[in-house]
Amino acid sequence: PLLRPTLLLTNENNHVFAKWLHKQPDQIAHWVLYTRYGEEWSTEIVDKKETGKALARTKNGKNLYDVAVVAIDRLGNESPYIAKAVQK
C-alpha cells in the first residue's frame, strides 16, 4: 500500500502555498488535492510531477480553511490522506 504523503502549508500574502511530498514518488500516478472554502469542498486531480500549488486565501467570498492531499497509484489505490488547517 502507498504511504501517507507529507503536506506543508506556507502563508504568502493573499495565497497559501501547499507543497506535498511522498517517500515513494515512482509509485505515484497522480494526486488528488482537496480544498475547503467556507463549508464547500473542492477536488482537483493533479499530475504526478506537480508537487505544489498556490491557493487563494479567499474564493467567491469564502475563506480557505483546510487543505488535504491523497496519492493515487497506477491501479487507482489511494494512500491515506493528509489534511491540514490553514493558519490565519
Side-chain angles (χ1 to χ4, degrees), residues 21-77:
L21 305 168
H22 202 275
K23 292 182 179 181
Q24 303 162 301
D26 55 322
Q27 293 186 21
I28 306 303
H30 57 271
W31 303 94
V32 179
L33 177 66
Y34 300 95
T35 53
R36 182 172 72 96
Y37 287 89
E39 295 301 317
E40 186 175 320
W41 283 93
S42 296
T43 304
E44 180 180 355
I45 297 172
V46 181
D47 185 79
K48 68 178 179 179
K49 295 176 186 173
E50 194 172 341
T51 59
K53 186 164 184 134
L55 304 167
R57 283 193 159 285
T58 60
K59 184 173 165 182
N60 298 326
K62 297 177 181 175
N63 292 330
L64 176 63
Y65 288 107
D66 297 296
V67 178
V69 69
V70 171
I72 309 291
D73 71 11
R74 65 182 180 82
L75 299 174
N77 298 310

Side-chain angles (χ1 to χ4, degrees), residues 4-5 45 71 84:
R4 180 187 316 269
I45 297 172
K84 293 207 173 180

